[in-house]
Amino acid sequence: MSTAARRGQDAAYGLLGAPLAMAALPLFVQIPAYYASHVGLALAPLGWVLFGARLLDMLQDPVFGHLLDRSAQRQKRWMAMAGAVLAVAFVCLWKPPHDPQAAMLWLVAMLVLAYGAHSMLSIAYLSWASRLPEKGLRAVAWREAAGLAGVIVASVIPAAILAAEASQIDARITFYCAGFAALLGLALLVLLRQNPPPPQADGHHWKSALRGLWETPAFRTLLPPYLLNALSAAIAATLALFFIEDQLQQGRLAGLFLAAYFGAAALGLPLWGALSRRVGAVACWRYAMLLSVAGFIGAALLGPGDRLAFLAVCLATGAALGADLLLPPVLLARSVRQAQAVGVAFGILTMLGKLALALSGIALPLLAALDYRPGQGPSVSLPLVYALLPCLLKLLAWQVLGRYGRRFPDSGQA
């Protein structure tokens, strides 16, 4: 295959990352606020609905992965069906009934459909890259860059729509949903037409697939540092707005800081890809962890008005995020040799990422126990939990990779 053709294949693969990211952020951030503020649902039952839906979302990932492994020859069909369900459920989430009780039932049904379709499509999409040349390193870079672009779009446009006058929200949401559905359909069409289908795999019992994965040292080694690193990022993400508003007292610049963070991650993707080809994926990931630690140590020293210094922190930690997005899926793809276990492996990885999101909630009661109260200005405890706790988790992940990283193929050490 020529270089131009391979780049076209990689770009065709990566495009789907944008609509998947555009759906993920509203599902976890804007939809709850929309149902509380605009639909009128009570916070307590809304919280339990979200908790139950996210718990189901986490637990179903390995099941979907195994289903995809057992029917790899039909993976394109599964992806097309999941894409259609996701598009419909996403639109329906923004169009609930006016009655609050009916809206609650509507929310439950649409969240189950949307989470399930998004998970099925994401796992199939992640495992697809493992069958591309070089285990999809360049394709993964395209995917994560498109995903970061989708995150930026989803963080700006829905927030602006919901901040508009109430009479304008419905029409603008309809337009946004139509754009999302069109982009999702286009990206799926490009992917399924231009990329080769995944190879067929013989159906195996899920216990056999799990046993084979557990007997793979590199797979076992990846899980602890991946969870620790994901938890570090999730805690920082959970507390970022608290830190910006109270510790820095720069709430009006929150959008700029987030854009700098995700923009740095997108720009860093090709640099991490090039470095990983020179020093190895493990060594490259460890370098990125150290960069993130340096950034968060700097954040722990900041106070009111330190906006330029925090912008530098966002650029450093955002650049490190690029490696977090790029390298773990590549390491996983290179580690799993059994074709019938690829989907299960990626299902477990995505489940750990969602577990990290759930566990990051411990940051809020921890801050409360340390006498932090939102809206009361700078706090001694906020930098400890926002910056230093993620540093500790990053360093633990760095240490595990340093100790056991040679179990990975292409494991260069930092």
Side-chain angles (χ1 to χ4, degrees):
M1 181 183 296
S2 67
T3 301
R6 182 169 296 176
R7 287 177 180 173
Q9 185 185 68
D10 292 340
Y13 170 80
L15 181 61
L16 184 59
L20 285 178
M22 287 175 64
L25 191 66
L27 285 176
F28 285 97
V29 179
Q30 285 110 345
I31 286 292
Y34 178 74
Y35 273 78
S37 302
H38 297 274
V39 182
L41 299 190
L43 286 179
L46 177 61
W48 283 112
V49 166
L50 295 173
F51 173 78
R54 290 172 182 176
L55 182 63
L56 176 63
D57 182 39
M58 182 188 77
L59 295 176
Q60 69 190 359
D61 283 357
V63 177
F64 286 159
H66 180 61
L67 178 62
L68 289 166
D69 287 333
R70 289 180 62 89
S71 57
Q73 69 278 10
R74 297 192 296 273
Q75 185 165 339
K76 284 188 173 183
R77 188 181 306 170
W78 284 112
M79 294 177 73
M81 291 174 57
V85 172
L86 176 60
V88 172
F90 185 81
V91 173
C92 290
L93 277 168
W94 295 101
K95 305 291 183 180
H98 295 293
D99 178 66
Q101 186 173 2
M104 181 69 77
L105 296 175
W106 182 268
L107 176 63
V108 171
M110 293 304 110
L111 277 181
V112 169
L113 288 175
Y115 281 156
H118 193 277
S119 293
M120 170 68 80
L121 188 55
S122 297
I123 294 169
Y125 185 46
L126 288 170
S127 62
W128 191 296
S130 68
R131 301 170 180 122
L132 296 176
E134 297 184 20
K135 294 296 183 181
L137 179 59
R138 291 183 177 87
V140 170
W142 277 93
R143 180 187 74 207
E144 299 304 337
L148 288 168
V151 165
I152 293 172
V153 169
S155 64
V156 174
I157 296 181
I161 291 174
L162 296 180
E165 295 182 7
S167 60
Q168 300 176 336
I169 290 177
D170 187 66
R172 293 182 179 182
I173 282 290
T174 300
F175 183 78
Y176 179 76
C177 289
F180 162 76
L183 179 59
L184 177 62
L186 174 64
L188 269 173
L189 180 64
V190 169
L191 173 66
L192 299 183
R193 290 188 62 182
Q194 293 195 20
N195 279 278
Q200 294 189 6
D202 296 330
H204 284 71
H205 196 275
W206 64 269
K207 290 184 179 179
S208 174
L210 286 177
R211 189 181 305 113
L213 287 174
W214 192 249
E215 291 172 355
T216 304
F219 176 77
R220 296 199 310 270
T221 299
L222 178 61
L223 301 185
Y226 180 80
L227 178 59
L228 289 167
N229 191 69
L231 181 56
S232 171
I235 289 174
T238 299
L239 301 180
L241 291 180
F242 295 99
F243 188 84
I244 293 169
E245 293 177 2
D246 283 344
Q247 194 69 19
L248 302 179
Q249 298 184 357
Q250 299 292 319
R252 67 187 185 281
L253 298 178
L256 173 63
F257 291 139
L258 292 176
Y261 177 74
F262 290 116
L267 293 174
L269 284 170
L271 301 179
W272 294 119
L275 181 61
S276 69
R277 287 189 287 272
R278 292 178 61 88
V279 304
V282 171
C284 185
W285 195 16
R286 294 186 79 216
Y287 286 137
M289 290 179 183
L290 292 179
L291 176 61
S292 184
V293 167
F296 278 118
I297 290 176
L301 304 176
L302 301 182
D306 290 334
R307 55 183 180 272
L308 292 180
F310 188 68
L311 180 61
V313 168
C314 291
L315 293 174
T317 55
L321 174 66
D324 293 340
L325 296 173
L326 174 66
L327 298 174
V330 172
L331 285 170
L332 181 64
R334 292 175 177 174
S335 302
V336 178
R337 303 298 186 185
Q338 311 97 319
Q340 73 275 10
V342 172
V344 173
F346 277 100
I348 291 174
L349 202 68
T350 57
M351 184 181 71
L352 288 180
K354 292 171 182 177
L355 177 61
L357 286 172
L359 292 176
S360 67
I362 64 173
L364 296 177
L366 177 58
L367 279 174
L370 295 173
D371 294 326
Y372 166 73
R373 297 293 181 269
Q376 294 186 358
S379 166
V380 174
S381 58
L382 186 53
L384 294 177
V385 183
Y386 166 75
L388 296 185
L389 180 55
C391 281
L392 175 61
L393 295 168
K394 286 270 186 183
L395 288 173
L396 287 174
W398 179 87
Q399 178 63 27
V400 172
L401 278 177
R403 185 171 182 179
Y404 300 107
R406 295 191 184 279
R407 294 178 178 179
F408 292 100
D410 181 30
S411 65
Q413 294 293 297

